[in-house]
Amino acid sequence: MDRELFTSSWKMTVVRGAVAVVFGIVAIAWPIETGLALMLLWGFWALLEGVSLLVQAFRSSGQEGRWGRALLGVTALIVAFFAIFSPGVTAQTLTWIFGIWLIVRGVFETFTAFSSYRLTPRWLLLLGAALSILLGVFFVANPGRAAVGIAVWLGLIALCWGVVFIVAGFLNRREHRWPAAPANPAPA
């Protein structure tokens, strides 16, 4: 982690921590609304990305990258449309896709555990594989609840990071105080 992240300004570090704590509390208290807000933000980001890629595609002088950028730009615009105008469905769809990815990953981790070349102990790979598969099955079977669970976890992580930043800010303040002026200055 960057050393200046915690040492630049104790006040800024505390403010960042306070914002993270507030975000964490809001995400935990209103996980559905948090998930929808995150989908909207992601949708607007995808919209900007799509427009940017299309502009790059039409301004490009070479043919080799033009069609790829144009295809990515159109795809980003389609994704943005769904994320902005149907954030709930988008969140459920992404959670479902994430669940499938976790299941596939767990299966590959299981095969890796029994391969001849591995750097990690077999039991650890099997534990990771089992967790991936279980979480993936939960996400695929309950995409709505899984999206809410992701928002709650995001809130918990933000809350923890916020507390860390607040404590770091106050510790930095205490560590970098100016020395106090002497109580009784010596007569000249």
Side-chain angles (χ1 to χ4, degrees), residues 62-97:
Q63 288 286 50
E64 61 274 347
R66 178 176 287 186
W67 291 109
R69 286 190 192 106
L71 180 63
L72 285 174
V74 169
T75 304
L77 290 178
I78 292 169
V79 168
F81 175 80
F82 284 110
I84 292 169
F85 294 108
S86 187
V89 173
T90 304
Q92 288 185 348
T93 303
L94 286 174
T95 306
W96 189 72
I97 291 168

Side-chain angles (χ1 to χ4, degrees), residues 46-132:
L47 177 67
L48 290 173
E49 177 83 6
V51 169
S52 172
L53 284 167
L54 286 174
V55 167
Q56 289 176 12
F58 288 112
R59 286 190 178 173
S60 176
S61 60
Q63 288 286 50
E64 61 274 347
R66 178 176 287 186
W67 291 109
R69 286 190 192 106
L71 180 63
L72 285 174
V74 169
T75 304
L77 290 178
I78 292 169
V79 168
F81 175 80
F82 284 110
I84 292 169
F85 294 108
S86 187
V89 173
T90 304
Q92 288 185 348
T93 303
L94 286 174
T95 306
W96 189 72
I97 291 168
F98 187 57
I100 291 172
W101 173 75
L102 283 170
I103 292 169
V104 170
R105 180 178 181 212
V107 169
F108 278 105
E109 287 173 344
T110 302
F111 286 122
T112 302
F114 293 103
S115 72
S116 60
Y117 179 76
R118 63 180 186 283
L119 300 173
T120 309
R122 179 175 289 144
W123 69 271
L124 200 55
L125 287 172
L126 289 173
L127 179 64
L131 289 173
S132 292

Side-chain angles (χ1 to χ4, degrees), residues 116-184:
S116 60
Y117 179 76
R118 63 180 186 283
L119 300 173
T120 309
R122 179 175 289 144
W123 69 271
L124 200 55
L125 287 172
L126 289 173
L127 179 64
L131 289 173
S132 292
I133 291 170
L134 288 173
L135 196 59
V137 167
F138 173 74
F139 278 23
V140 168
N142 305 296
R145 282 193 230 148
V148 170
I150 291 170
V152 170
W153 275 107
L154 181 63
L156 288 170
I157 291 167
L159 190 63
C160 292
W161 268 108
V163 170
V164 167
F165 271 69
I166 290 170
V167 170
F170 283 119
L171 287 174
N172 190 25
R173 175 181 177 232
R174 188 177 71 188
E175 197 172 297
H176 290 90
R177 277 193 185 164
W178 291 98
N184 295 324

Side-chain angles (χ1 to χ4, degrees), residues 5-79:
L5 181 68
F6 291 111
T7 59
S8 60
S9 167
W10 73 269
K11 289 178 186 175
M12 240 1 250
T13 304
V14 170
V15 167
R16 288 173 63 196
V19 169
V21 166
V22 169
F23 174 78
I25 291 170
V26 167
I28 293 167
W30 296 290
I32 294 171
E33 292 81 358
T34 300
L36 293 177
L38 290 173
M39 284 298 106
L40 284 172
L41 286 172
W42 183 65
F44 285 112
W45 173 77
L47 177 67
L48 290 173
E49 177 83 6
V51 169
S52 172
L53 284 167
L54 286 174
V55 167
Q56 289 176 12
F58 288 112
R59 286 190 178 173
S60 176
S61 60
Q63 288 286 50
E64 61 274 347
R66 178 176 287 186
W67 291 109
R69 286 190 192 106
L71 180 63
L72 285 174
V74 169
T75 304
L77 290 178
I78 292 169
V79 168

